[in-house]
Amino acid sequence: FIDVTDQMRVERALIERTEALEAADRLKNDFVSHMSYELRTPLTNIIGFSELLSSDRIGPLNEKQRDYLNDIHVSSNTLQTIINDILDLATIDAGAFALSLQPVAIADIIESAVSGIHEKLQRARIRLHIEVEPGIQDVLADANRMKQVLYNLLSNAIGFSNEGSHVRLTCHRDGGMVVFAVSDDGVGIPAEMHEKVFERFESNAQGTRHRGAGLGLAIVRSLVELHGGKIALASQPGVGTTVTVRIPASAAVRGDVRGSQRDALAESALKTDAA
């Protein structure tokens, strides 16, 4: 006879723990999704009314009132970005996130992203340099999500740059991949933090005035991987940071990339099962 009482207790405890974690994860996703949608409506009203007040349609404003309205508008847009990022991450976690892939002009993606950070550039007195390889025109991607990727990368670069410095955005072809790179001359990131910056809610001002929820690079990595691409970071304290995004240019290349990713996931699963 073999006494398996202790073994059964451990197995039962592990099963219960797994079930509890799964239930907590479902509850978290449901809560985040519901609250994000509920927060959007009043926030949209705040943004709309602040824009209406600043338009002088209901009367002139003095300088102090205009400054207050500008603060309301900036803070509301920041909060809206955070809510959208949280909602996107919750949707990705739930496996319900779908990209709308179609050929999109690279110039249009860049123009849309740059228009969103124009005010930040002016406030920080930072010059943006854009360089696109001649002959490169379009890419198979979700236009809104790629705009979100570039917007987040540019916002980070501006936030961690010194006033009056430069930020660069480049785009070129590398085989079957389209490569976007955003670089700055800011404070840089220590080597031990290179992986952490892509984790959720990982925020470190690095001695600057930049503040955030720590979701920008997390959502960028998730969106890039959904496109079948990869993201890389190169940074050195006191020198600056460059974030490089590589996504397949066409459906044929995208299929190859996703196939290799599936093989890697399958290999990882086999290793986990063996362990």
Side-chain angles (χ1 to χ4, degrees), residues 77-134:
N77 283 328
T78 300
L79 182 57
Q80 187 177 52
T81 300
I82 294 173
I83 292 173
N84 288 339
D85 285 347
I86 292 174
L87 182 58
D88 287 342
L89 288 171
T91 307
I92 291 171
D93 287 345
F97 197 96
L99 296 176
S100 177
L101 297 176
Q102 57 184 349
V104 56
I106 290 176
D108 292 343
I109 297 174
I110 293 176
E111 183 179 355
S112 297
V114 170
S115 66
I117 51 99
H118 181 69
E119 188 175 344
K120 293 183 179 181
L121 287 170
Q122 288 186 325
R123 286 202 310 268
R125 292 191 295 178
I126 290 176
R127 295 187 63 182
L128 175 64
H129 303 275
I130 301 174
E131 183 179 342
V132 180
E133 180 183 316

Side-chain angles (χ1 to χ4, degrees), residues 197-203 212-218:
V197 297
F198 292 105
E199 296 177 3
R200 300 177 186 184
F201 304 106
E202 185 65 36
S203 180
L215 293 172
L217 288 180

Side-chain angles (χ1 to χ4, degrees), residues 11-254:
E11 289 180 0
R12 189 177 300 113
L14 289 174
I15 292 173
E16 291 175 354
R17 177 181 173 82
T18 301
E19 292 174 347
L21 288 173
E22 291 176 350
D25 191 58
R26 287 194 300 271
L27 180 62
K28 178 206 68 175
N29 290 335
D30 291 342
F31 174 79
V32 169
S33 298
H34 178 73
M35 289 305 298
S36 296
Y37 280 117
E38 291 298 322
L39 286 169
R40 274 179 168 178
T41 301
L43 185 58
T44 301
N45 291 337
I46 293 172
I47 294 174
F49 282 119
S50 66
E51 291 177 347
L52 178 63
L53 289 171
S54 61
S55 67
D56 291 338
R57 294 181 183 178
I58 58 175
L61 299 173
N62 59 42
E63 185 176 353
K64 180 75 68 178
Q65 291 170 330
R66 200 168 288 280
D67 287 342
Y68 288 156
L69 275 175
N70 183 62
D71 289 341
I72 292 172
H73 189 66
V74 171
S75 298
S76 298
N77 283 328
T78 300
L79 182 57
Q80 187 177 52
T81 300
I82 294 173
I83 292 173
N84 288 339
D85 285 347
I86 292 174
L87 182 58
D88 287 342
L89 288 171
T91 307
I92 291 171
D93 287 345
F97 197 96
L99 296 176
S100 177
L101 297 176
Q102 57 184 349
V104 56
I106 290 176
D108 292 343
I109 297 174
I110 293 176
E111 183 179 355
S112 297
V114 170
S115 66
I117 51 99
H118 181 69
E119 188 175 344
K120 293 183 179 181
L121 287 170
Q122 288 186 325
R123 286 202 310 268
R125 292 191 295 178
I126 290 176
R127 295 187 63 182
L128 175 64
H129 303 275
I130 301 174
E131 183 179 342
V132 180
E133 180 183 316
I136 182 171
Q137 296 182 348
D138 54 26
V139 62
L140 184 66
D142 186 316
N144 290 329
R145 297 309 177 183
M146 283 308 300
K147 169 192 170 183
Q148 188 176 1
V149 165
L150 295 183
Y151 172 84
N152 284 354
L153 292 180
L154 289 169
S155 295
N156 264 16
I158 294 169
F160 288 100
S161 294
N162 298 318
E163 189 173 292
S165 61
H166 301 262
V167 169
R168 291 165 293 280
L169 169 60
T170 64
C171 178
H172 67 275
R173 287 286 292 266
D174 182 12
M177 309 293 282
V178 173
V179 183
F180 295 94
V182 175
S183 57
D184 61 68
D185 304 321
V187 295
I189 303 170
E192 63 271 15
M193 293 188 61
H194 284 190
E195 286 299 321
K196 289 184 178 180
V197 297
F198 292 105
E199 296 177 3
R200 300 177 186 184
F201 304 106
E202 185 65 36
S203 180
N204 193 322
Q206 295 292 322
T208 67
R209 292 179 296 174
H210 180 70
R211 296 292 182 274
L215 293 172
L217 288 180
I219 189 68
V220 165
R221 182 170 66 175
S222 295
L223 292 176
V224 169
E225 290 176 350
L226 282 172
H227 277 85
K230 294 181 179 181
I231 185 170
L233 180 143
S235 184
Q236 186 176 344
V239 177
T241 301
T242 298
V243 180
T244 305
V245 167
R246 302 167 59 89
I247 63 170
S250 64
V253 177
R254 189 178 307 280

